[in-house]
């Protein structure tokens, strides 16, 4: 994949903020930083980066959110604000074995989506 100027701008923003952003958020933040990029370019570059496995895309009821990580990881969503936090979770081997026995599948990788409120 060729790393164009626009793709580099999008990646650098996602790496800087380390958050999950909509395409509109990305467009607004880049332009606020003085980076002239159009809506269409943002969408096209996000799709290309996601298709290449460089970034992640989360489909939510409110729309797609893009994150800087592409490795397998889990998420915690705040039910008050909708903020999403990346988590690295390792399930106990015994629990994985129980899931395999229950489902008849051999678990190779997994991600969890947790939702909650601050205590």
């Amino acid at each position: 994949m060729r790393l164009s100027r626009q793709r580099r701008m999008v990646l650098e923003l996602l790496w800087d903020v380390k958050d999950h952003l909509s395409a509109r958020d990305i467009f607004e933040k880049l332009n606020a930083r003085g980076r002239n990029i159009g809506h269409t370019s943002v969408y096209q570059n996000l799709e290309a980066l996601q298709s290449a496995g460089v970034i992640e895309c989360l489909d939510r009821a409110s729309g797609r959110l893009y994150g800087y990580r592409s490795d397998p990881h889990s998420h915690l969503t705040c039910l008050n604000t909708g903020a999403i936090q990346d988590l690295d979770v390792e399930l106990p081997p015994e629990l994985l074995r129980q899931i395999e026995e229950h489902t008849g599948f051999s678990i190779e990788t997994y991600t969890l989506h947790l939702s909650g409120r601050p205590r």
Side-chain angles (χ1 to χ4, degrees), residues 28-107:
E28 290 173 356
K29 287 182 183 301
L30 285 173
N31 282 285
R33 291 181 176 192
R35 311 267 201 241
N36 286 338
I37 187 169
H39 281 112
T40 303
S41 290
V42 170
Y43 283 103
Q44 289 172 342
N45 286 293
L46 286 169
E47 290 303 314
L49 290 165
Q50 189 254 330
S51 293
V54 177
I55 62 173
E56 74 173 331
C57 177
L58 304 174
D59 287 312
R60 298 287 187 236
S62 59
R64 288 183 162 186
L65 297 176
Y66 298 88
Y68 71 103
R69 291 181 67 176
S70 62
D71 61 317
H73 62 280
S74 298
H75 296 105
L76 171 63
T77 300
C78 176
L79 294 172
N80 291 347
T81 66
I84 300 169
Q85 182 178 344
D86 289 329
L87 299 173
D88 293 306
V89 175
E90 190 172 329
L91 294 177
E94 179 56 34
L95 178 57
L96 289 173
R97 277 192 291 283
Q98 288 175 4
I99 293 169
E100 289 176 336
E101 288 175 14
H102 181 73
T103 63
F105 280 80
S106 177
I107 306 299

